[in-house]
Amino acid sequence: QVQLVESGGGLVQPGGSLRLSCAASGSIFRINAMAWYRQAPGKQRELVALQPSGGSTNYADSVKGRFTISRDNAKNTVYLQMNSLKPEDTAVYYCNAVIQRLASLRVDNYWGQGTQVTVSS
């Protein structure tokens, strides 16, 4: 069993900052890519930031220069530092990871439960 548990969402004023965390746990052999997605009401889920196991990160154009994704491989945790937040950043943010499991070595795609981020004055 593999789980992704997110934390750090909440209500923040425009221009403020939040830091999201996502910890993976369970029978993990290796974590490949880790990413953050978001889904606003009435919209499709979109990729916000991607951190591969090797190589450079990728960001949605709308968050470049404001958001930073990082990983702590020792803790199986990915972070999303969000600065200069705007009302249009309001959404449920989901953690995503491509994980190779122990024993079976099967590679699967996993999602967290989501955490609400609301940017409003």
Side-chain angles (χ1 to χ4, degrees):
Q1 193 95 12
V2 172
Q3 281 189 316
L4 300 181
V5 178
E6 299 146 351
S7 60
L11 173 64
V12 63
Q13 292 187 340
S17 298
L18 279 176
R19 189 192 194 207
L20 306 183
S21 299
C22 172
S25 62
S27 61
I28 297 170
F29 175 70
R30 179 169 55 208
I31 300 178
N32 297 326
M34 299 189 84
W36 288 94
Y37 287 73
R38 68 185 180 187
Q39 187 166 19
K43 294 189 176 182
Q44 288 190 330
R45 190 172 297 189
E46 63 173 354
L47 176 66
V48 175
L50 171 67
Q51 173 81 73
S53 57
S56 58
T57 56
N58 291 285
Y59 296 94
D61 288 342
S62 58
V63 307
K64 282 180 182 176
R66 300 187 298 122
F67 290 11
T68 302
I69 188 171
S70 60
R71 284 173 65 166
D72 184 335
N73 292 325
K75 296 181 179 180
N76 288 338
T77 299
V78 64
Y79 305 94
L80 185 68
Q81 178 66 44
M82 305 185 292
N83 299 328
S84 303
L85 281 160
K86 305 175 181 180
E88 51 263 43
D89 294 318
T90 296
V92 178
Y93 283 71
Y94 296 91
C95 175
N96 172 264
V98 178
I99 296 175
Q100 188 172 22
R101 296 180 61 176
L102 284 168
S104 68
L105 298 182
R106 175 174 167 165
V107 178
D108 284 310
N109 197 30
Y110 294 88
W111 292 91
Q113 80 282 3
T115 185
Q116 177 69 47
V117 171
T118 302
V119 184
S120 175
S121 55

